[in-house]
Amino acid sequence: MTVSAKLHAIGRPLVEAQLAHPTVVGIGRGDLAEPVFRSWLEQDYLFLHDYVRVFARLAWQAPPEHLGDLVDLAHATFHDELDLHRSLSAGFGADLDGAVKGPACAAYTAFLLESAGSYADGLAALYPCMWGYSTLGQILAENPPVEPRYRAWVDTYADPGFAALAARIGQMIDEADPDPARAEALFVEGMRHELAFWEVP
């Protein structure tokens, strides 16, 4: 079994825990209270800026065959994903410019930025966000919300193109040949940060 396949097996129960979280349940039904999603959007907007920095830090260390992937991911996150947040935020009245990191966001971004000091560690640490959101999106899309704003969020992460990006990160983890136990520990820690992130401030 490859390292990435083992991470998927370990991560699936943690995805199920996210699916059971009230915030995710509300998104899936399309009836999440607007102040909750507004707060989540503000926190995720701040998170994504540091996520771009994680990709950039890893790109500096990347082997030639991975460099383009990480540069492309940094670019897509900074432009496409942040544009999605700006669009959704306008519909929920989120204050992106005035947002301040809550404890979960601050802890998660600190973990990712520190882990990115090592190439293989950084890939394993960021994988929960890529793989986890792709998995959540695909599951939620099986019975998507009717409410168009929440449907737009689900459609973004259910998109096959996003799944392909997540799969590429898994392949890159395997090619980086990390210590399996170390990769698993970082992946599980990242998945725990993902779950905590749904507890919006």
Side-chain angles (χ1 to χ4, degrees):
M1 182 182 285
T2 63
V3 172
S4 62
K6 183 67 179 296
L7 298 182
H8 298 165
I10 293 170
R12 187 60 190 226
L14 296 167
V15 169
E16 296 295 335
Q18 292 185 58
L19 286 166
H21 192 282
T23 301
V24 180
V25 171
I27 291 172
R29 290 194 309 233
D31 62 1
L32 181 66
E34 291 198 9
V36 176
F37 197 60
R38 180 164 59 244
S39 180
W40 183 88
L41 284 167
E42 292 168 355
Q43 292 301 299
D44 203 49
Y45 186 77
L46 297 173
F47 170 87
L48 287 171
H49 281 85
D50 279 341
Y51 205 47
V52 172
R53 294 181 176 97
V54 170
F55 285 133
R57 190 173 190 191
L58 292 175
W60 183 78
Q61 306 170 64
E65 61 271 21
H66 293 177
L67 178 58
D69 295 282
L70 291 162
V71 171
D72 288 348
L73 282 164
H75 183 274
T77 302
F78 188 78
H79 292 283
D80 300 339
E81 199 164 359
L82 283 172
D83 280 351
L84 167 71
H85 273 62
R86 293 184 188 99
S87 175
L88 284 173
S89 294
F92 284 92
D95 180 13
L96 300 181
D97 292 334
V100 177
K101 285 182 183 178
C105 183
Y108 196 3
T109 55
F111 161 72
L112 288 172
L113 289 164
E114 180 179 357
S115 298
S118 163
Y119 186 66
D121 284 0
L123 289 177
L126 71 81
Y127 196 43
C129 188
M130 293 289 295
W131 175 81
Y133 271 58
S134 176
T135 304
L136 283 174
Q138 291 173 56
I139 293 170
L140 292 174
E142 293 172 2
N143 184 26
V146 174
E147 207 282 342
R149 296 171 299 174
Y150 292 114
R151 175 65 182 262
W153 187 94
V154 170
D155 287 347
T156 296
Y157 295 109
D159 187 274
F162 190 76
L165 293 175
R168 176 57 180 151
I169 292 291
Q171 182 182 17
M172 290 162 63
I173 290 171
D174 293 333
E175 292 170 355
D177 194 26
D179 173 74
R182 176 72 175 160
E184 290 168 20
L186 288 164
F187 178 80
V188 168
E189 186 170 353
M191 289 297 292
R192 288 173 176 158
H193 280 292
E194 284 289 318
L195 181 59
F197 203 87
W198 294 114
E199 292 289 336
V200 294

